[in-house]
Amino acid sequence: MSKLFRAVIMGPPGSGKGTISERIAHSFGLKHISSGDFVRENISANTEAGVLAKTYIKKGLLVPDHVMTRLLLPRLEEMTKYSWLLDGFPRTLAQADALNSICDLDVVINLNIPLETLKERLRHRWTHPSSGRVYNMYFNPPRIQGLDDITGEQLIQQEDDRPEALVARLRHYKDIAKPVIDLYKAKSILYTFSDTETDRIWPNISTLLSTKIPIGQSDARCASTH
Ligand SMILES: Nc1ncnc2c1ncn2[C@@H]1O[C@H](COP(=O)(O)OP(=O)(O)OP(=O)(O)O)[C@@H](O)[C@H]1O
Ligand SMILES: Nc1nc2c(ncn2[C@H]2C[C@H](O)[C@@H](COP(=O)(O)OP(=O)(O)O)O2)c(=O)[nH]1
């Protein structure tokens, strides 16, 4: 059997992780695992970890490492037959070490987007709370203003997407992401993309992945479920 492909996508809030992950899943047939979506699914299903995670998210905090790894690692271990892309995990060095103990990553995509661009994007980001689907009033607007395309339910603007909250969020992201980025740099698997537009970054990511993903890996069974 040919080797499976394991990738992580990192970047600050609003950097386009979700948007680019969807494109990668669609174009290369990788399973897209979003930690945020997975946490929300666990909250909806009232699992033990989901109930615990909710208490932190409600306060605007990150879910503690041991809860996240207990949620995510078994899920990854179930996916040994698939090539996958992880979005939103790892966020901390402890999470990166835990991931490292169960698999070898091939590529880490690191999105480096200017602060002003992030602020502007998040100001116009609308979210469907139960699924985590995101829209942007200009970049990818919903078909009907204010409503989710799939369910027709109301979209909301998340409190922490407001520009005032973003600066603190971004500082926090930088602090905790730096050791993770340094780790992947030292392993020579970090690929950083800097631009203000997803559409300009995408061709470069696509070219990189075309050279890295073994032929025959694109498999309809692996396509994103989102
Ligand atoms: N790897 C993780 N470690 C800790 N908490 C996490 C992790 N992934 C998700 N969470 C929790 O779930 C929440 C939702 O995650 P999600 O990635 O959807 O949104 P977010 O934090 O608004 O990020 P972004 O704006 O970058 O998409 C986070 O705010 C955090 O509380
Ligand atoms: N104007 C503009 N908006 C963009 C671009 N790429 C993504 N967006 C939008 C989609 C979302 O509403 C918001 C943040 O993107 P996202 O994919 O949710 O980012 P992330 O928080 O998962 O990293 O920005 C882009 O290139 N231009």
Side-chain angles (χ1 to χ4, degrees):
M1 193 169 82
S2 58
K3 186 182 175 301
L4 294 165
F5 187 72
R6 307 274 180 243
V8 160
I9 185 163
M10 298 183 60
S15 58
K17 298 181 296 294
T19 306
I20 290 171
S21 295
E22 289 292 323
R23 293 188 189 187
I24 294 174
H26 181 75
S27 302
F28 293 94
L30 306 184
K31 269 251 192 228
H32 170 207
I33 306 157
S34 150
S35 62
D37 286 353
F38 194 58
V39 168
R40 281 183 285 273
E41 280 167 26
N42 272 272
I43 291 174
S44 303
N46 255 315
T47 66
E48 196 188 326
V51 170
L52 195 52
K54 193 176 176 180
T55 62
Y56 293 91
I57 294 181
K58 271 208 315 223
K59 294 184 208 147
L61 298 171
L62 284 183
V63 177
D65 290 332
H66 69 278
V67 179
M68 275 319 288
T69 49
R70 209 171 75 208
L71 269 176
L72 253 294
L73 297 194
R75 169 105 170 107
L76 294 177
E77 280 170 333
E78 277 167 18
M79 303 226 308
T80 47
K81 281 193 275 173
Y82 297 106
S83 288
W84 47 247
L85 169 71
L86 253 180
D87 160 15
F89 185 96
R91 286 202 196 192
T92 64
L93 189 56
Q95 292 178 14
D97 288 339
L99 183 61
N100 199 28
S101 71
I102 65 154
C103 70
D104 283 325
L105 295 173
D106 297 292
V107 164
V108 176
I109 295 167
N110 179 34
L111 302 175
N112 178 29
I113 313 295
L115 172 65
E116 283 311 310
T117 307
L118 298 175
K119 276 193 196 162
E120 189 57 24
R121 283 184 189 177
L122 294 187
R123 210 152 62 88
H124 299 295
R125 175 157 82 171
W126 288 81
T127 305
H128 178 239
S130 57
S131 71
R133 267 187 292 281
V134 295
Y135 300 87
N136 179 287
M137 267 155 25
Y138 303 105
F139 184 69
N140 58 340
R143 281 198 289 271
I144 301 169
Q145 202 188 340
L147 301 183
D148 178 47
D149 284 352
I150 311 274
T151 63
E153 288 166 356
Q154 202 74 40
L155 301 176
I156 60 151
Q157 224 174 357
Q158 285 178 339
E159 276 289 299
D160 59 3
D161 277 353
R162 284 176 299 118
E164 313 85 270
L166 184 67
V167 176
R169 243 176 121 195
L170 200 66
R171 193 175 308 123
H172 183 57
Y173 170 81
K174 279 195 169 161
D175 289 346
I176 60 169
K178 183 160 188 315
V180 182
I181 288 172
D182 289 346
L183 172 78
Y184 292 141
K185 210 183 274 175
K187 286 175 175 280
S188 303
I189 52 172
L190 187 81
Y191 296 82
T192 297
F193 298 88
S194 307
D195 205 298
T196 54
E197 291 300 323
T198 294
D199 287 346
R200 277 203 296 265
I201 287 179
W202 171 240
N204 299 327
I205 293 182
S206 179
T207 303
L208 168 74
L209 295 182
S210 305
T211 64
K212 297 279 179 191
I213 297 181
I215 296 182
Q217 285 290 292
S218 295
D219 180 339
R221 283 174 308 151
C222 301
S224 166
T225 49
H226 302 291

